[in-house]
Amino acid sequence: MTQAVPPILSVTPSRALVDEKFQVLVENLPPGCPVTLRSLHRSEDEDDWEAYGHYVSDHRGVVSVSEDLSFGGMYTGKEPMGLLWSMRPVPGSRKGLRLRKINVCTPMLVNISVHSGHEGFRDRTPLASALAERWYMAPGVKRIDINKQGVQGTLFIPPGPGPFPALLDMWGGGAGLLEYRSALLASRGYVSFSLDYLRSEHLSADVEFKYFETAFNIIRNHPQVIPDRVGILGSSLGSMVAFNLTAYSTIIKPRCIVCISSNHYHPPGTTLKAGFKILSNRTNDLSKINCPMLLVNGCDDQNWPTVETVARLLREGGKEHLLSRLAYPGAGHLIEPPFSPHFRATKFIILNSKEKVILLWGGHTKPHSDAQEDSWRKILSFLQLHLYHSPSVKANL
């Protein structure tokens, strides 16, 4: 492609939180010119991830990813964020990869480029490119390592004097300490404590309520937290822990709970999938829960499908009015913040044996990605309603 004025590619905003949309615009192309838009990211594990879509410039020589149709590639149609959520490891990569941000103090860097043509574009020098920064931590968010009273984790505090509502954030089995969701929640105005409860030193005996109760008190008693405005957010195994704590603990009384890819059922005396027990000889009696609950589930969850109907159990206990539920056809188990890539199957390390296996999580890329975007918006609305909306609750942001 030769022309007097070279193509220009812009990403607006070039620096944003990961749950914010951007606009990708290419200008100064010939009218009716076939091009490929490509995103490329190198993970902290040194693996390359990419997405691409095939476009044709309009009569002005412009391609707008937000407005124009992709005619092929990793996504089709009008998909403003398709260059992110459709990302996959580049051909020849290791099998079973999963993309997760480890160091939330640095951005996820995504190089976005435009190439001439629709075939063989990787072999051509880009016509233009731009770098996008995607952040989990907003400016001013504080990150604090917690290792006190036997509890380990990471605390994130929003900018401003507060006090703020807060969340105890728990991931599932095999996840270890992950910080990116808590960092994003703090960026949205919540003190968030990402709790590490799966380390080996915690597994020499049954995990006791005391560990979680101590963690809950650490966040509740923090000077920048509104003590009666603390909720719990759990994913997978973390959601089962959230149910148990809310139902049985005399100390943990959350204002609300959010459970993602949840399984509420724990047969008496059984061992959970992570290889340890949260409770002995108890089932989750949801009728004991007295706070609002939001359940988020994918209908194609191949890893941990719901065993019983939560609504029925709550109805039998007279608590159905506390339940809000989001069920997404075509979505799988790993429901992440918006625009995260979809992983149908990834490597998983079994906690006790350290054996590496490939686990099937389920989901199909487009409906799963739509579910991530929609559920995150509704999770934030649910938290706003139950943790912020009160005449006596006003954080100084």
Side-chain angles (χ1 to χ4, degrees), residues 58-78:
D58 64 13
H59 66 283
R60 302 167 299 164
V62 171
V63 170
S64 171
V65 174
S66 299
E67 300 294 333
D68 296 336
L69 301 177
S70 169
F71 295 100
M74 291 186 172
Y75 60 93
T76 58
K78 186 187 293 186

Side-chain angles (χ1 to χ4, degrees), residues 62 96 123-124 291 325 340 364 393:
V62 171
D123 300 327
R124 302 191 188 100
C291 68
R325 191 171 187 184
S340 301
H364 302 276
V393 177

Side-chain angles (χ1 to χ4, degrees), residues 291-371:
C291 68
M293 293 170 279
L294 175 63
L295 270 60
V296 181
N297 288 91
C299 298
D300 190 44
D301 188 336
Q302 299 296 312
N303 179 256
W304 200 337
T306 301
V307 178
E308 296 184 34
T309 304
V310 175
R312 177 178 62 80
L313 296 177
L314 289 170
R315 184 167 56 250
E316 291 173 355
K319 300 293 180 65
E320 190 178 19
H321 63 284
L322 295 173
L323 175 66
S324 300
R325 191 171 187 184
L326 303 174
Y328 293 99
H333 186 77
L334 300 180
I335 297 177
E336 298 266 26
F339 318 128
S340 301
H342 163 243
F343 316 100
R344 185 168 176 83
T346 68
K347 289 180 181 177
F348 185 87
I349 299 177
I350 298 176
L351 191 63
N352 287 346
S353 67
K354 305 300 181 183
E355 179 187 1
K356 293 182 179 181
V357 298
I358 297 290
L359 280 191
L360 178 63
W361 305 109
H364 302 276
T365 300
K366 170 60 176 166
H368 186 91
S369 300
D370 289 343

Side-chain angles (χ1 to χ4, degrees), residues 115-293:
H115 305 251
S116 62
H118 291 170
E119 302 295 334
F121 64 90
R122 289 189 186 88
D123 300 327
R124 302 191 188 100
T125 302
L127 303 173
S129 63
L131 189 66
E133 294 184 7
R134 308 291 292 175
W135 288 86
Y136 284 94
M137 265 180 69
V141 170
K142 297 177 184 176
R143 178 192 175 277
I144 302 171
D145 291 317
I146 299 295
N147 189 353
K148 57 192 286 190
Q149 302 176 57
V151 171
Q152 298 181 29
T154 309
L155 187 68
F156 291 89
I157 303 175
F164 305 96
L167 287 160
L168 182 64
D169 185 12
M170 296 182 292
W171 287 90
L177 179 59
L178 295 172
E179 301 181 354
Y180 56 90
R181 186 169 63 193
S182 279
L184 189 58
L185 287 166
S187 301
R188 294 303 178 198
Y190 301 91
V191 172
S192 187
F193 185 16
S194 182
L195 181 64
D196 186 355
Y197 65 100
L198 294 175
R199 291 197 182 203
S200 58
E201 58 262 34
H202 302 152
L203 303 179
S204 57
D206 288 352
V207 176
E208 300 288 346
F209 262 16
K210 182 180 179 181
Y211 185 82
F212 298 97
E213 290 173 340
T214 302
F216 193 83
N217 280 335
I218 287 173
I219 189 170
R220 181 172 58 187
N221 296 330
H222 193 280
Q224 287 184 272
V225 169
I226 304 170
D228 64 345
R229 296 280 162 166
V230 181
I232 300 178
L233 192 155
S235 292
S236 190
L237 177 64
S239 69
M240 179 182 285
V241 177
F243 280 134
N244 276 304
L245 298 176
T246 307
Y248 293 107
S249 175
T250 58
I251 293 176
I252 297 176
K253 299 299 179 185
R255 175 68 67 162
C256 63
I257 61 175
V258 177
C259 296
I260 302 172
S261 299
S262 56
N263 186 345
H264 62 281
Y265 181 62
H266 178 207
T270 61
T271 301
L272 305 183
K273 74 171 187 176
F276 65 93
K277 300 176 183 178
I278 298 297
L279 291 174
S280 297
N281 301 318
R282 286 176 177 170
T283 58
N284 281 342
D285 184 356
L286 300 188
S287 67
K288 295 181 180 292
I289 295 178
N290 293 303
C291 68
M293 293 170 279

